[in-house]
Amino acid sequence: MPLFEQAATFASEHPVGTAFICLLALIALALAFLILRVALRVCTRFYLQVVAPRPIEDILTIVAASIATGVSAQGMWRFSGDVLGLDGPLRLLLFAFIEVAIVTSAVRARRNMRENFSAGIDGIAVWALTCLTAVLSSMDARSLAEAIFRLAAPLVAAWLWERGMAIERHRIRGTGRINWRFTPERVLVRMGLAEVSDRTASEVDAHRRLTRVALAAKKARSLREQGPRSASCAWPWRASTGRWTRPSSTRAWPSTRPARRPCCSRSARSTTPPS
């Protein structure tokens, strides 16, 4: 007999029971509609308050870290059953306690970052617990590839969390990465083999000529500020004779006067050579 004929026969034989079943079905449909409506409102509010303000990379980081944490929890499920011998509700309650501790430490570290500008001991606890769950879940692996995979999954989750903390740290503190003082670029610039800015050869040559002109002007100004020097101080030193010689534009000293090194002292400045 078809199902529809069976339902019609049951309704004709038990009208009160059929009415009660229909009433319960209507109540269940109304409750399901209310639950779906409340769930839709909650999801919409959660999206507008939490998901929408965040950039897309933060959302992807949370999703990837959740997947990696699930892989680590699956390894701890097998470890708690095969190694610890837990079974039933006790295994269900205790298998993922390290993952819960990791999530708790990560949330506390983020709060410390916002309030104290540092992750503190909770940031260290995240890495320590991650390494612990990675080692424990890989100890129950059946092959080398599975052990490496179970070691890598929690570390990937911790790395994604660390990168998210670095972005938030940069946003709060306004600091970036370390700027090294010795880099290949700085060494090449110091040696003169590279330029700081994107300049052409003509611009570099013009800058070099302007630098020479500026240095010459500075030297001329310093000479003007010193004033006229004595003629004795202007005598050049001749290496062939090993003595100070008088320029050709001036007359030589008399032969009766012994040759001596001119002095730039105050007494020598006051005495002028004979014309």
Side-chain angles (χ1 to χ4, degrees):
M1 181 180 291
L3 182 62
F4 180 77
E5 294 181 358
Q6 291 180 1
T9 304
F10 179 82
S12 62
E13 294 177 355
H14 306 84
V16 179
T18 304
F20 183 73
I21 292 174
C22 292
L23 181 61
L24 291 179
L26 290 175
I27 295 174
L29 289 176
L31 290 177
F33 175 76
L34 292 176
I35 292 173
L36 290 176
R37 186 176 179 181
V38 172
L40 182 61
R41 287 183 178 180
V42 171
C43 293
T44 304
R45 186 178 302 175
F46 178 79
Y47 176 80
L48 294 177
Q49 294 181 358
V50 179
V51 179
R54 289 179 175 270
I56 187 64
E57 58 270 14
D58 290 351
I59 299 174
L60 293 177
T61 299
I62 294 174
V63 172
S66 301
I67 296 174
T69 304
V71 174
S72 176
Q74 193 269 340
M76 290 300 299
W77 172 268
R78 290 178 51 183
F79 180 86
S80 61
D82 298 341
V83 179
L84 301 180
L86 301 178
D87 195 8
L90 187 63
R91 182 181 183 184
L92 183 63
L93 292 174
L94 301 180
F95 81 100
F97 72 97
I98 299 181
E99 281 71 19
V100 175
I102 291 174
V103 174
T104 304
S105 299
V107 173
R108 288 180 177 177
R110 186 174 293 272
R111 180 179 299 176
N112 290 334
M113 177 62 66
R114 294 176 179 175
E115 295 178 356
N116 303 322
F117 307 105
S118 176
I121 191 65
D122 294 310
I124 302 176
V126 170
W127 282 101
L129 294 175
T130 299
C131 295
L132 178 61
T133 185
V135 172
L136 291 179
S137 61
S138 63
M139 290 176 63
D140 193 38
R142 295 180 176 84
S143 63
L144 180 61
E146 183 181 355
I148 295 175
F149 178 76
R150 296 193 180 281
L151 279 173
L155 297 178
V156 168
W159 170 253
L160 293 174
W161 169 81
E162 179 65 29
R163 292 306 305 160
M165 291 289 292
I167 295 173
E168 188 166 356
R169 187 184 301 114
H170 174 68
R171 187 185 301 117
I172 295 175
R173 294 181 178 179
T175 57
R177 60 184 181 86
I178 297 176
N179 295 322
W180 295 100
R181 298 184 60 184
F182 295 98
T183 58
E185 293 82 3
R186 294 194 177 190
V187 172
L188 293 177
V189 171
R190 184 66 177 175
M191 295 174 61
L193 300 178
E195 288 290 335
V196 180
S197 59
D198 189 9
R199 299 187 299 175
T200 60
S202 60
E203 293 176 351
V204 173
D205 184 67
H207 179 73
R208 188 181 297 112
R209 291 177 183 272
L210 290 175
T211 304
R212 290 179 181 176
V213 172
L215 292 176
K218 181 180 178 181
K219 184 176 181 180
R221 185 177 62 182
S222 62
L223 291 177
R224 286 196 304 268
E225 291 177 354
Q226 291 178 4
R229 302 180 62 183
S230 61
S232 61
C233 293
W235 293 357
W237 174 265
R238 181 171 294 178
S240 60
T241 59
R243 63 180 64 183
W244 295 87
T245 58
R246 193 169 185 176
S248 57
S249 58
T250 58
R251 296 177 60 183
W253 289 96
S255 59
T256 58
R257 186 171 182 176
R260 62 183 181 86
R261 177 184 174 187
C263 181
C264 294
S265 61
R266 185 175 302 175
S267 60
R269 293 179 182 177
S270 61
T271 305
T272 58
S275 57

